[in-house]
């Protein structure tokens, strides 16, 4: 099998650390207008700023990744919350997960529609139920009971996503994908959050890797926090995020090497993708085998680093 | 933390091999009547016979585990298909998964109701869609299109499960749980299938470990096939079946040792359970940290072995 190039910087950050992504895919300079590139950068910066405010105030990694993902859900450029892609039936179905490395607990929702911020519904599953994953009407009912903001389904649907589905764009304009965040807080705890609208034209009811703990989302203070993006089915079949964890925890690989090897396992299931990951020592890895990945990182010491293309070596 | 005793025989079987379970839980001799014990034995034997017929005819491990699970779904003693437990809302929601070790592909359904045999809907996802997991109405629509047997929801509901939910039994009569099967065929391929009605009184829309590839169900010819049962949330948070796989594949543990260690990871998430597992060399492991587990195994050389309690040392 021909292997896709796996690129992405690995570096040692200083706590607190926050890393975000806005999806991996066919993100190449010649197909992304300057205006859209600037807008994507702005969205990633705003997400980093929101999460870092939490962390600098001594907040938890869990609160920080949720704050960061909230910004990306509300930003219609990205395939999560408002601006999510549409199913084959023209509907909107959101998946989201949060994972807390300190307690190794998690919460997730799948196939919900009408909850403005799916990541808050995922947190409600974690904090308010004995369950880990709720789907459909049951998840929506929990969100309603918890007083989360509900919006009409039309609120999520943008003209751009409708054009993507119906294929009326000669060349669909490049847009962001699944979003996610991982963080290391000053207390040494890790967390991850991921949110998505799935894939354009998917069958109604399709569940991807995002809300599955160990596939698209993972956090364990012993090893790493991971949020993945890319070909969901291949990420699910390789149990991607838990494979990264296992390679660190059981096989002794560095976090960067573990991410690369796990992406190879995903490639063996005929999929490309990428992830953001942070370890308890502050190591940050942001590798991808897709053409590009919207990504950004910030730590205690520096300015935010933003990248999109394979050529962006700073990040 | 006090560790529960982890029991269960590990032995080397001769291909073809089939192992089935009917759930782990509070299965102790003093609470299981002789009549119910005999009925459970009969169900497990029938399941083994159905799957072994496929394997002896040279059929695939995948076809065998599906044949074995079909019998247990139709047997109202077990919490899958007919006889499934009821949700808090009094409804029935089925989850099922199949995993093919030869191709490392899988299919699963969650939160479906009205499809007589959920394991066949899981196979349809594997064979007829680009997806791995479909939920709710989308999964039901696929089953309908594929011509699977549909039944009214009442068909699944037994008087015993209604009494369990409403708590009108002074001491609920012991019944079987989640069902599953793993197999090694004569071509050396592995497969796993799992099916469940979830847990009594769960929130509507709750997804457990059963349909999540790597949590309750796993197959990879390189390492093992696994079907799990027990406290679903703890199995999900420990990514149980993929943890077994990783311990074999990455850490070099024997299959029996890997199952035991993975059950410890589940216990660290405050859950007990058990699993059936088979490796490419015919090693069979059937360990559990619950009080008991309904289980059975058969290989090319011998009569079926059936066990229920911790004291059943043959199996």
């Amino acid at each position: 099998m021909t292997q896709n190039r796996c690129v992405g910087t690995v570096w040692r950050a200083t706590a607190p650390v926050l890393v975000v992504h806005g999806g991996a895919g066919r993100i190449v300079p010649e197909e992304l207008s300057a205006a859209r590139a600037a807008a994507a950068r702005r969205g990633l910066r705003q997400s980093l700023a929101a999460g870092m405010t939490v962390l600098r105030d001594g907040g938890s990694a869990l609160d920080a990744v949720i704050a960061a993902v909230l910004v990306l859900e509300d930003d219609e450029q990205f395939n999560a919350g408002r601006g999510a892609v549409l199913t084959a039936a023209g509907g909107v179905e959101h998946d989201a997960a949060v994972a807390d490395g300190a307690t190794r607990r998690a919460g997730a929702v799948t196939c919900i529609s009408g909850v403005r911020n799916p990541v808050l519904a995922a947190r409600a599953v974690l904090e308010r139920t004995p369950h880990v994953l709720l789907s459909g009407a049951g998840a929506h009912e929990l969100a309603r009971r918890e007083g989360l903001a509900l919006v009409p389904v039309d609120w999520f649907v943008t003209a751009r996503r409708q054009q993507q589905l119906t294929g009326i764009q000669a060349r669909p304009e490049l847009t962001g994908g699944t979003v996610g965040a991982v963080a290391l807080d000053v207390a040494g705890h890790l967390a991850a959050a991921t949110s998505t609208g799935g894939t354009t034209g998917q069958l109604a009811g399709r569940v991807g890797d995002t809300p599955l703990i160990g596939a698209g989302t993972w956090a364990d203070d012993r090893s790493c926090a991971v949020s993945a993006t890319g070909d969901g089915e291949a990420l699910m079949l390789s149990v991607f995020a838990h494979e990264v964890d296992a390679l660190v925890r059981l096989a002794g690989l560095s976090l960067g090497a573990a991410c690369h090897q796990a992406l190879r396992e995903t490639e063996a299931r005929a999929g490309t993708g990428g992830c953001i990951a942070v370890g308890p020592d502050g190591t940050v890895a942001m590798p991808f085998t897709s053409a590009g990945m919207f990504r950004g990182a910030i730590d205690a010491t520096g300015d935010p680093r933003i990248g999109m293309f394979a050529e962006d070596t700073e990040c």
Side-chain angles (χ1 to χ4, degrees), chain A residues 17-18 20 47-48 50-55 59-70 181-185 191 193:
Chain A
V17 183
L18 178 67
V20 300
S47 171
L48 287 173
M52 205 57 180
T53 298
V54 173
L55 291 169
S60 72
L62 184 64
D63 286 341
V65 293
I66 291 169
V69 166
L70 274 173
V182 295
L184 168 67
D185 64 26

Side-chain angles (χ1 to χ4, degrees), chain A residues 69-86 92-96 112-119 151-158 161 177-179 194-198:
Chain A
V69 166
L70 274 173
V71 170
L72 297 171
E73 284 182 342
D74 281 348
D75 186 333
E76 71 170 62
Q77 296 182 86
F78 300 101
N79 175 23
R82 180 162 158 77
V85 300
L86 306 183
V92 175
E93 293 183 350
H94 292 118
D95 297 345
I112 62 167
S113 193
V115 178
R116 174 172 168 165
N117 290 110
V119 74
V151 291
V153 173
D154 286 352
W155 187 83
F156 297 107
V157 180
T158 61
R161 298 303 190 183
T178 298
V179 307
T194 316
S195 183
T196 191

Side-chain angles (χ1 to χ4, degrees), chain A residues 6 8 24 84 87 96 98 102 121 163 175 192 198 204 271-272 275-276 280 282 294 298 301:
Chain A
C6 184
T87 69
V98 298
Q163 289 163 0
T175 51
T272 63
C275 74
I276 52 174
F294 292 109
I298 188 168
T301 64

Side-chain angles (χ1 to χ4, degrees), chain A residues 7 17 19 44 51 66 75 118 124 148 184 203 205 234 237 253 283 289:
Chain A
V7 299
V17 183
V19 191
L44 293 166
I66 291 169
D75 186 333
L148 300 186
L184 168 67
L203 292 179
L237 292 174
L253 266 64
T283 298
T289 53

Side-chain angles (χ1 to χ4, degrees), chain A residues 78-167:
Chain A
F78 300 101
N79 175 23
R82 180 162 158 77
V85 300
L86 306 183
T87 69
V92 175
E93 293 183 350
H94 292 118
D95 297 345
V98 298
D100 180 10
T103 60
R104 289 186 275 169
R105 295 184 62 229
V109 292
T110 183
C111 298
I112 62 167
S113 193
V115 178
R116 174 172 168 165
N117 290 110
V119 74
L120 296 181
R123 182 168 72 179
V125 174
L126 167 63
E127 295 180 348
R128 304 292 187 188
T129 81
H131 301 315
V132 173
L133 176 56
L134 284 184
S135 73
H140 192 273
E141 170 59 18
L142 173 70
R144 192 195 59 72
R145 275 206 317 272
E146 292 296 318
L148 300 186
L150 306 180
V151 291
V153 173
D154 286 352
W155 187 83
F156 297 107
V157 180
T158 61
R160 189 146 43 83
R161 298 303 190 183
Q162 283 180 312
Q163 289 163 0
Q164 262 184 348
L165 181 67
T166 54

Side-chain angles (χ1 to χ4, degrees), chain A residues 28-38 173-174:
Chain A
V28 291
E30 52 275 28
E31 294 187 16
L32 193 71
S33 70
R36 289 203 50 80
E173 198 181 358
L174 187 64

Side-chain angles (χ1 to χ4, degrees), chain A residues 193-258:
Chain A
T194 316
S195 183
T196 191
T199 61
T200 298
Q202 68 183 18
L203 292 179
R206 176 259 191 181
V207 182
D209 61 299
T210 296
L212 306 189
I213 305 307
T217 307
W218 180 256
D220 184 338
D221 280 359
R222 295 178 298 178
S223 55
C224 54
V226 178
S227 173
T229 168
D231 294 324
E233 276 69 18
L235 292 164
M236 293 165 80
L237 292 174
S238 56
V239 200
F240 176 81
H242 189 253
E243 179 75 4
V244 174
D245 165 84
L247 287 164
V248 170
R249 184 169 42 87
L250 302 176
L253 266 64
S254 71
L255 185 59

Side-chain angles (χ1 to χ4, degrees), chain A residues 11-15 17 184 278-284:
Chain A
W11 52 292
R12 181 71 168 274
T14 303
V17 183
L184 168 67
V278 62
D281 66 351
T283 298
V284 170

